[in-house]
Amino acid sequence: MRLRRVLAATDLSVGAGLAVRRAARLAAAHGAQLIVVSVVSPSLADELSSFAADAFEEHAATHAGDEAELVLRQGPVSDTILAMAAERSADLLVLGAHGGRGLAGNLTGPTTENIARASSIPVLVVRTPVADYRTVVLAVDHTEPARRAAEFGTALTPSATHLLAHVSVVIGEQLLRLQGRDEADLARLREASTAEIRPRIEALAEQLTPRPDAVVVGSGAPQRALPELVSHYAADLVVTGSGSSTRFERVLLGSVAQSVLRYAPADVLVVRGRSR
């Protein structure tokens, strides 16, 4: 992976400021161009639009320094940001997890989720203060998009500790529960399921450069277990794939990615499969 252009979107809020800082740090680390965009409503009067431009320049200078290219656009927030990413051939789009309300178009939770769902390029959603990523959880399944997401995540954070994590529901566990089996039987079923899956996940680990520092294979509903895993390891970032980017599959963000995006106590990188 070569990071050439990083696009950060901001609504001038504190949360968006964290995203701009993170984008600036990543752009500097990878020798990439940093572009910062803010979107304002077309209905703003000329005098308010001028005030928004001044506020944007001050916000960007505070969080990104003087190296960023600043672009102020008018239009619908999500569509305008996605169009900007395509226009500039951005390799990474960076957003804040929670925005605010003001002159710039609001980058609230639902807006951020909508952009992550529709984007054909990786989207980094930032909720933590700026620091180098130290521990990164690479959440994977057996699919090619998951492998590509892990590759992008490791390349983006080469100096971090990487944990390759797979969590899946154990087939047959619910049936055993209905049959009244005790916890010992359930534990044996989970162990057998984990033993079967682990070689495939370890084989995936061997394909990554740098190779992950550890492989974690567990059982349970990944929508709940992955955010708990991120918390357990005090991870700074969790990376997840989200299927391919065909028009049909963009309708819904994958349930695992959506849950991680909403509940993981860390930054989240969502990487889609290649367009077809």
Side-chain angles (χ1 to χ4, degrees):
M1 181 205 76
R2 179 165 180 259
L3 206 62
R4 298 161 300 174
R5 282 174 288 277
V6 177
L7 176 63
T10 179
D11 59 8
L12 312 188
S13 66
V14 173
L18 291 178
V20 174
R21 284 180 181 269
R22 179 73 74 189
R25 197 177 189 94
L26 289 171
H30 289 268
Q33 178 188 7
L34 175 62
I35 306 165
V36 183
V37 61
S38 190
V39 182
V40 298
S41 170
S43 63
L44 283 180
D46 289 343
E47 58 271 21
L48 288 179
S49 181
S50 177
F51 177 77
D54 292 341
F56 177 38
E57 289 185 7
E58 182 179 352
H59 174 85
T62 299
H63 298 290
D66 300 325
E67 299 301 318
E69 177 188 350
L70 307 185
V71 180
L72 188 65
R73 290 281 174 91
Q74 291 186 334
V77 177
S78 298
D79 290 345
T80 303
I81 291 171
L82 291 168
M84 181 74 181
E87 174 189 316
R88 295 304 180 92
S89 299
D91 302 298
L92 177 66
L93 175 57
V94 185
L95 310 169
H98 304 291
R101 295 185 179 276
L103 291 173
N106 300 329
L107 281 169
T108 58
T111 303
T112 295
E113 192 172 298
N114 287 341
I115 293 173
R117 180 190 66 207
S119 177
S120 60
I121 66 170
V123 176
L124 175 62
V125 178
V126 176
R127 57 168 47 95
T128 62
V130 169
D132 290 331
Y133 288 127
R134 297 160 300 176
T135 304
V136 177
V137 170
L138 308 169
V140 297
D141 53 23
H142 307 132
T143 65
E144 181 65 14
R147 185 187 65 80
R148 287 197 294 267
E151 283 182 340
F152 191 95
T154 54
L156 189 68
T157 60
S159 61
T161 296
H162 297 104
L163 306 177
L164 193 68
H166 173 85
V167 180
S168 59
V169 175
V170 176
I171 297 174
E173 181 172 347
Q174 187 59 29
L175 179 60
L176 290 185
R177 288 185 182 278
L178 292 174
Q179 292 174 349
R181 299 293 185 88
D182 60 22
E183 281 300 317
D185 288 337
L186 295 175
R188 282 191 289 271
L189 179 64
R190 295 188 198 107
E191 289 174 5
S193 176
T194 298
E196 180 183 355
I197 294 171
R198 177 174 286 277
R200 282 177 278 175
I201 303 305
E202 291 180 341
L204 190 155
E206 293 288 349
Q207 300 174 35
L208 301 178
T209 303
R211 192 183 187 283
D213 298 273
V215 174
V216 179
V217 179
S219 61
Q223 293 88 339
R224 182 181 67 253
L226 282 172
E228 292 174 354
L229 190 71
V230 170
S231 180
H232 176 76
Y233 285 100
D236 310 294
L237 173 68
V238 55
V239 181
T240 178
S242 187
S244 79
S245 54
T246 64
R247 181 178 300 177
F248 174 77
E249 289 164 316
R250 279 203 301 265
V251 172
L252 291 175
L253 188 64
S255 61
V256 175
Q258 185 179 64
S259 180
V260 169
L261 195 58
R262 290 179 180 179
Y263 304 118
D267 292 2
V268 179
L269 176 64
V270 180
V271 183
R272 283 201 174 275
R274 295 190 180 96
S275 298
R276 292 200 299 261

